[in-house]
C-alpha cells in the first residue's frame, strides 16, 4: 500500500479537459478489450470520470466541452447496447441529450434513410478529411492536452458514425374509446397511423390495439373525427404566435399520417415562417426538415421540394461564416430535403441559380474545423449528386469496393 495516498488523490485535481480526456481513454480501452467483464469495469471508470466533468461544467457555455461530454455519453451507450445492457445504454443516451447529444443522434437517424452507395461515398469523404487532420496533429507537441483531444476526435469520429442503427424509442399506446377525448397528439398520430397502414387487425399482437382497430376500421365517422382533430392541431399551431420547440415537435409528429391538403398547409406555414423571418427561426427550420423527412412520399411534390431547397440554399449561403451553429442547422435541413428529392427522383434543378452555388458552398464547408459540420456537409454534397440539374445527366456516387 505504499502508493495508496498517491493514487487516491489526483483525480480530484484534474482539469475539465484532463478529466474528459481520461473518460475518452477509458472508453477507448473498453471498446478495444475482448473481455466483457473488463469492458464493464472500464465503462464504470468512464462514468466516474464524466461525473467529475459534469459537476464542474454544469453551467458552462463552452460548446466544445458540452459536445465532448455528450459524445462520450453516446459512445458509452452504444458500447453498452452492443453488450446487451440496453436499459443502461438508454439511460446514457438520455443523459447525452442534456448536453447537446441530439445533434449526433440526428446524424445517425439521417444515415438510415440513404442508400449504401451514399454511405460508402460519405465514408470516403470523412476518411480523407481525418487523414488531413492527422497530418496537422503531427505538428502539435506530443503529450499536450490539445494533442490528446485532437487524437481522440480523429480516432473516434469516423469509427463511431456507422457502427449500428439507433433503435427507435418504445412508445406505449393505449387506444381511446370510440368518440372519446384523446390524451395527446402522440395518441392521435398512432391512431391515424394504424388506420392508414396496410396490415389487417389480425396482424397486431396487442389485444387492446387489435380490438380498437376492429371497431374503428369500418367506422367512417370516427375516421373523419380523427382527421379533423389532426387538422385542428395544425390550425392551433398556425394561430400560435410563439412557435417554440415543444409546439413544433408536437405538430411535426403528425407528418406521416396527414392528409395531402393538411400536409401542404403545414409545409407552407413552415416555409413562410423561415422565408419571412429576418433572423433565422431555428425551431421552424428544424420543423421543416423533420416534416419533409417523415412525410408520406405521396404528399411530396417536386415543385414544392425545389422551392424549399432554393430557400434553404439562399439562407445557408447568406449566413455569416462565424455563425457555425446556424450553418450546421441549415446544412442538416438541406440534407433532409435532398434526401426526399433523391427518393422522389426529382430532376432538372436550375444549375446556375441553385445546383452549382449550393454544390460549391457545401464543398467549401468540408474544410471546416468543426467535425460535425464536415460530416453533414459531406453528406449533403453526396446527396446533391443524386439530384441532377437541368443541364446534366444523373451522377451516381462511386461505391467503394
Amino acid at each position: 500500500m505504499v502508493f495508496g495516498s498517491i493514487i487516491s488523490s489526483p483525480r480530484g485535481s484534474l482539469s475539465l479537459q484532463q478529466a474528459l480526456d481520461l473518460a475518452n481513454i477509458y472508453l477507448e480501452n473498453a471498446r478495444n478489450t475482448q473481455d466483457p467483464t473488463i469492458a464493464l469495469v472500464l465503462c464504470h471508470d468512464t462514468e466516474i470520470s464524466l461525473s467529475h466533468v459534469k459537476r464542474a461544467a454544469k453551467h458552462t457555455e463552452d460548446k466544445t466541452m458540452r459536445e465532448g461530454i455528450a459524445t462520450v455519453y453516446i459512445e458509452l451507450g452504444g458500447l453498452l447496447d452492443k453488450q446487451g445492457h440496453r436499459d443502461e445504454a438508454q439511460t446514457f443516451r438520455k443523459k447525452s441529450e442534456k448536453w447537446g447529444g441530439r445533434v449526433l443522434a440526428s446524424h445517425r437517424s439521417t444515415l438510415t434513410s440513404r442508400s449504401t452507395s451514399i454511405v460508402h461515398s460519405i465514408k470516403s469523404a470523412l476518411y480523407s478529411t481525418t487523414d488531413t487532420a492527422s497530418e496537422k496533429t503531427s505538428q502539435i507537441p506530443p503529450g499536450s492536452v490539445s494533442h490528446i483531444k485532437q487524437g481522440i476526435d480523429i480516432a473516434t469520429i469516423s469509427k463511431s458514425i456507422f457502427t449500428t442503427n439507433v433503435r427507435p424509442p418504445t412508445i406505449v399506446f393505449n387506444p381511446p374509446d370510440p368518440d372519446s377525448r384523446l390524451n395527446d397528439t402522440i395518441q392521435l398520430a398512432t391512431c391515424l397511423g394504424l388506420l392508414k397502414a396496410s396490415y389487417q387487425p389480425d396482424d397486431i399482437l396487442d389485444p387492446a390495439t387489435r380490438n380498437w382497430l376492429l371497431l374503428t376500421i369500418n367506422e367512417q365517422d370516427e375516421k373523419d373525427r380523427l382527421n379533423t382533430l389532426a387538422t385542428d392541431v395544425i390550425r392551433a399551431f398556425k394561430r400560435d404566435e410563439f412557435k417554440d420547440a415543444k409546439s413544433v415537435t408536437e405538430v411535426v409528429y403528425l407528418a406521416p399520417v396527414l392528409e395531402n391538403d393538411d400536409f401542404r398547409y403545414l409545409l407552407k406555414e413552415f416555409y413562410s415562417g423561415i422565408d419571412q423571418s429576418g433572423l433565422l427561426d431555428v425551431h421552424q427550420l428544424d420543423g421543416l426538415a423533420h416534416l419533409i423527412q417523415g412525410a408520406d412520399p405521396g404528399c411530396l411534390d417536386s415543385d414544392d421540394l425545389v422551392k424549399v431547397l432554393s430557400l434553404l440554399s439562399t439562407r445557408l449561403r447568406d449566413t455569416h461564416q462565424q455563425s457555425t451553429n446556424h450553418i450546421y442547422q441549415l446544412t442538416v435541413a438541406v440534407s433532409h430535403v435532398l434526401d426526399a428529392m433523391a427518393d422522389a427522383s426529382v430532376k432538372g434543378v436550375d444549375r446556375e441559380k441553385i445546383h452549382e452555388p449550393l454544390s460549391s458552398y457545401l464543398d467549401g464547408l468540408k474544410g471546416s474545423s468543426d467535425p460535425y459540420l464536415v460530416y453533414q456537409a459531406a453528406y449533403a454534397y453526396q446527396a446533391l449528386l443524386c439530384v441532377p440539374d437541368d443541364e446534366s445527366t444523373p451522377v451516381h456516387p462511386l461505391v467503394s469496393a
Side-chain angles (χ1 to χ4, degrees):
M1 301 298 293
V2 176
F3 296 100
S5 61
I6 298 176
I7 295 176
S8 62
S9 62
R11 188 188 295 271
S13 63
L14 292 175
S15 68
L16 285 180
Q17 188 60 62
Q18 286 174 322
L20 184 59
D21 290 341
L22 182 60
N24 273 292
I25 291 170
Y26 282 137
L27 183 60
E28 186 66 21
N29 287 331
R31 187 184 293 112
N32 293 333
T33 184
Q34 300 299 315
D35 189 318
T37 303
I38 293 177
L40 279 178
V41 173
L42 290 168
C43 286
H44 177 65
D45 290 336
T46 304
E47 184 182 9
I48 293 174
S49 295
L50 279 178
S51 66
H52 170 72
V53 182
K54 282 170 51 186
R55 285 193 299 271
K58 189 173 182 180
H59 302 294
T60 183
E61 297 297 330
D62 187 336
K63 180 181 177 183
T64 302
M65 179 60 65
R66 295 185 70 85
E67 287 180 351
I69 295 171
T71 300
V72 176
Y73 270 133
I74 291 174
E75 293 298 323
L76 188 56
L79 183 58
L80 288 170
D81 194 32
K82 284 184 178 180
Q83 295 184 352
H85 303 282
R86 291 189 169 84
D87 291 340
E88 292 84 352
Q90 186 63 23
T91 299
F92 283 123
R93 290 193 181 104
K94 289 180 179 178
K95 286 186 176 184
S96 76
E97 293 180 359
K98 297 179 181 179
W99 294 89
R102 297 189 185 194
V103 171
L104 188 54
S106 69
H107 286 174
R108 292 177 175 174
S109 175
T110 304
L111 286 173
T112 61
S113 65
R114 298 300 297 161
S115 64
T116 303
S117 61
I118 298 291
V119 170
H120 281 299
S121 299
I122 298 169
K123 269 188 173 180
S124 302
L126 284 169
Y127 279 117
S128 64
T129 302
T130 54
D131 290 342
T132 304
S134 299
E135 296 173 3
K136 295 179 181 178
T137 306
S138 63
Q139 301 173 8
I140 302 175
S144 67
V145 172
S146 297
H147 181 272
I148 294 172
K149 182 178 184 301
Q150 190 167 359
I152 290 171
D153 287 343
I154 293 170
T156 60
I157 288 173
S158 59
K159 292 180 182 178
S160 65
I161 292 176
F162 298 95
T163 51
T164 57
N165 292 333
V166 177
R167 294 189 307 152
T170 301
I171 299 174
V172 178
F173 172 63
N174 297 314
D177 294 328
D179 297 322
S180 65
R181 181 184 179 88
L182 273 70
N183 297 329
D184 50 37
T185 305
I186 293 178
Q187 188 183 42
L188 173 60
T190 308
C191 288
L192 289 171
L194 287 168
L195 293 170
K196 197 171 184 179
S198 58
Y199 49 70
Q200 296 299 313
D202 290 341
D203 298 330
I204 301 174
L205 298 178
D206 179 61
T209 303
R210 182 170 61 249
N211 291 336
W212 177 86
L213 190 56
L214 283 169
L215 291 171
T216 311
I217 195 168
N218 295 318
E219 292 292 332
Q220 189 60 44
D221 289 344
E222 180 65 6
K223 291 181 180 180
D224 292 341
R225 183 180 79 93
L226 294 173
N227 282 313
T228 300
L229 286 174
T231 303
D232 290 342
V233 171
I234 298 173
R235 287 173 176 162
F237 177 76
K238 179 178 175 59
R239 291 194 300 268
D240 188 0
E241 295 182 1
F242 183 65
K243 295 176 172 58
D244 58 6
K246 183 178 180 180
S247 62
V248 168
T249 300
E250 181 178 10
V251 75
V252 167
Y253 207 94
L254 294 169
V257 297
L258 289 175
E259 296 294 322
N260 188 59
D261 289 344
D262 288 340
F263 176 84
R264 293 201 72 241
Y265 187 86
L266 184 56
L267 179 65
K268 183 173 66 174
E269 181 66 20
F270 280 129
Y271 181 96
S272 299
I274 297 169
D275 187 34
Q276 296 173 11
S277 175
L279 301 180
L280 182 64
D281 189 327
V282 293
H283 299 314
Q284 294 207 59
L285 175 66
D286 187 58
L288 176 66
H290 285 88
L291 178 70
I292 290 175
Q293 185 186 36
D296 185 320
C299 292
L300 295 172
D301 181 82
S302 298
D303 185 63
D304 291 343
L305 291 172
V306 171
K307 284 183 169 59
V308 171
L309 179 64
S310 177
L311 171 65
L312 297 181
S313 175
T314 301
R315 292 300 298 253
L316 176 61
R317 289 181 283 113
D318 289 345
T319 301
H320 193 277
Q321 289 299 310
Q322 290 180 315
S323 299
T324 308
N325 188 47
H326 284 181
I327 292 175
Y328 173 82
Q329 291 172 309
L330 282 161
T331 306
V332 171
V334 166
S335 296
H336 287 319
V337 176
L338 288 170
D339 268 338
M341 294 177 74
D343 292 340
S345 300
V346 176
K347 304 174 183 178
V349 176
D350 192 296
R351 184 182 70 83
E352 293 185 359
K353 294 181 179 179
I354 303 176
H355 206 284
E356 188 171 323
L358 180 58
S359 175
S360 299
Y361 189 85
L362 292 173
D363 190 46
L365 289 181
K366 290 190 288 184
S368 170
S369 59
D370 184 340
Y372 296 90
L373 181 56
V374 168
Y375 159 71
Q376 200 62 54
Y379 184 91
Y381 183 85
Q382 291 293 324
L384 184 59
L385 294 179
C386 296
V387 182
D389 61 48
D390 56 356
E391 298 182 19
S392 66
T393 55
V395 179
H396 298 287
L398 297 176
V399 180
S400 56

